Amino acid sequence: MSESYSIANPNNFTSESGYSGKIKGTDREIYDQSVKSFTAGFSRVFSSIIPDLKPKTKITKRGNLNASRLYRYKYDARIFSKRIDEHKDFDLTFVFLLDVSGSMSCRSKVPAGFLSRLDAAKAVMKSLIIASRKQLSDKVKVEVLTKSCPEQSINDFGNPVFLARQFSTDVKSLKDDVIDNIGYSCPIKTSEGRGMSSSTPEMLCGKGVIDFIKNNVVTKNVIVFNLTDGEAWCGANNNYEGWRGNWGNTENKTLLKKYFSQVPFVSVLIGYGNEIDDDILEMYPNPVMCSDYNFPKKLENVVKKVVKSLTE
C-alpha cells in the first residue's frame, strides 16, 4: 500500500511542512544585525539615484504662439522660449527566485557571524525591500518566489516541481517579516504529518516564472535574481517538460535558454568564491560567483549597476 500525501498551502507552506525556517536564539541576533547592515548598503545604492529622478528643467524655443493672447504679453525675447519640466521614468521589479533545497542549510561565515545560506539570502532580500521602500517608495517592487522539488517520488506524481509566491510588495497583507520564516522544504506532508526536504530543480520551474511575470509584474523593467548554492539536480521522473530520470545541468541549460533568453536573468551562486567552475559556466552565462562572506556585497553591487543603468 502506497503512503498518502497532502499538499500544504503553497503560499504559506513553510509554517505547515515541518521544515520551518523560523530563526531563533543567537541566529536571530545575527540575522537582525545582518538585516540592519545590509539595509544600510542598499539604502546608499537607492539614495544615490534620487537626484537623477528629480524633474529637470529644459528650455525650448519650439512650439506654437497663441496669437489671440499675444497682445497681453509685454514683449521681450522670452516670449519665444518655453520651460519644460522633464520627469525621469523609473520603475523596476526585482523577482527573487530562491533555492530552498537542503544544502542551503549549510552554515557559513557572514559579516555579523554564522548563518545558514538560506538565512543569509533571506536577510539580503528583506534588506533590499526595507531600503527600497524607504528611499524610493513604490518605484521599486519586489517578488520573492521559492522553487522546490521533493527528494522522493510522490506515488504516481513522481517528483513534482513547486513554485510558490512567498512575498510581494503588491500584496499589502504580506509584511516583509514573512520572509523570516521561509524554510528548507516542499509543500508536501506525509500522512503522519512529516515534511519533505527539497532537491534543486532550478529551471524546471522556468515556465512558471515566465507566466508569473506576465500575469503579475506591471513595471516596464524587470530582472530575475536566481539565488542558489548548487548545481541543478532533482529526480524529475514525472515526465515534466518532457524529461525523465535525474535532472541535471545539461537539461537545466536547455530550459534556461528556452525561457530566459528575453528576460534579464542573473544567477547568484553562493559559496563558490571566485572559483571558476566549467560546469557552472556551461550552465549559466555570466554568473555572479560569491563566497558566503561577500555574497551580500556582490549582490548590492549588481543591484547598483541595474538601477544606475535605468537612470542614465
Side-chain angles (χ1 to χ4, degrees), residues 105-285:
S105 64
C106 176
R107 294 177 64 83
S108 300
K109 185 77 168 68
V110 296
F114 282 85
L115 284 177
S116 71
R117 287 174 178 163
L118 181 61
D119 287 346
K122 293 189 296 187
V124 167
M125 293 186 298
K126 185 175 181 179
S127 302
L128 184 144
I129 293 165
I130 295 171
S132 64
R133 182 182 293 133
K134 180 179 179 181
Q135 299 295 333
L136 298 174
S137 185
D138 60 350
K139 291 183 182 297
V140 172
K141 300 182 183 297
V142 181
E143 299 283 349
V144 177
L145 310 178
T146 53
K147 56 182 185 287
S148 61
C149 179
E151 291 186 335
Q152 64 190 71
S153 179
I154 309 301
N155 298 338
D156 296 334
F157 294 101
N159 301 64
V161 176
F162 293 94
L163 181 70
R165 186 190 209 180
Q166 300 289 352
F167 173 82
S168 171
T169 48
D170 281 341
V171 180
K172 302 304 180 185
S173 61
L174 288 177
K175 306 302 180 185
D176 50 48
D177 286 346
V178 303
I179 292 173
D180 299 351
N181 294 326
I182 296 175
Y184 328 90
S185 59
C186 300
I188 292 288
K189 290 193 295 186
T190 68
S191 56
E192 299 174 347
R194 291 183 288 107
M196 191 173 295
S197 60
S198 173
S199 54
T200 311
E202 285 301 277
M203 295 306 104
L204 268 173
C205 64
K207 185 179 186 303
V209 175
I210 295 302
D211 288 345
F212 174 85
I213 291 173
K214 289 179 179 178
N215 294 327
N216 296 278
V217 174
V218 297
T219 57
K220 181 174 66 175
N221 303 292
V222 61
I223 183 168
V224 178
F225 283 118
N226 180 42
L227 306 185
T228 183
D229 73 336
E231 303 174 44
W233 185 89
C234 68
N237 60 344
N238 61 334
N239 205 28
Y240 188 85
E241 286 285 353
W243 302 98
R244 298 189 68 84
N246 289 336
W247 169 266
N249 291 350
T250 301
E251 296 82 3
N252 189 75
K253 177 185 175 183
T254 300
L255 288 191
L256 179 62
K257 184 177 181 179
K258 177 178 179 180
Y259 290 119
F260 294 100
S261 59
Q262 302 300 318
V263 177
F265 180 94
V266 178
S267 274
V268 181
L269 303 175
I270 309 168
Y272 280 81
N274 296 317
E275 176 185 346
I276 302 299
D277 188 308
D278 290 338
D279 289 336
I280 290 295
L281 293 177
E282 176 71 14
M283 178 176 160
Y284 291 116

